Amino acid sequence: MHRVRGVIARSKGAPVSVETILVPDPGPGEALVRVQACGVCHTDLHYREGGIGEEFPYLLGHEAAGIVEAVGPDVQDVAVGDFV
């Protein structure tokens, strides 16, 4: 498990907060990326406002860039140390 910080929307229209969350080690076909920059965009606003589902909480920010730290089984397209 890895402790990371993320922007969380807990309920419709409420202010977001930066919280510590736990991310599991990568599984088959997954990679763990140390995010160096991430945008919270207009799509994230739609999630926060309840316009795209209502299954809160949401972890916002899906436009990220960073360095691969670990890969799970069967990962062949990226390797540890790659910038993605």
Side-chain angles (χ1 to χ4, degrees):
M1 286 286 202
H2 304 268
R3 297 175 70 86
V4 301
R5 292 174 28 138
V7 176
I8 306 294
R10 292 226 165 259
S11 62
K12 182 178 178 178
V16 299
S17 57
V18 177
E19 301 180 22
T20 299
I21 59 174
L22 296 175
V23 176
D25 291 333
E30 298 177 334
L32 177 69
V33 176
R34 177 169 297 279
V35 175
Q36 295 178 324
C38 183
V40 175
C41 72
H42 202 252
T43 300
D44 295 306
L45 176 62
H46 287 301
Y47 275 101
R48 185 185 142 242
E49 295 301 315
I52 305 175
E54 294 189 14
E55 296 179 18
F56 289 89
Y58 286 111
L59 172 62
L60 304 180
H62 58 272
E63 298 176 352
I67 304 294
V68 176
E69 286 199 333
V71 296
D74 303 323
V75 173
Q76 298 175 1
D77 295 335
V78 297
V80 172
D82 285 354
F83 180 80
V84 294

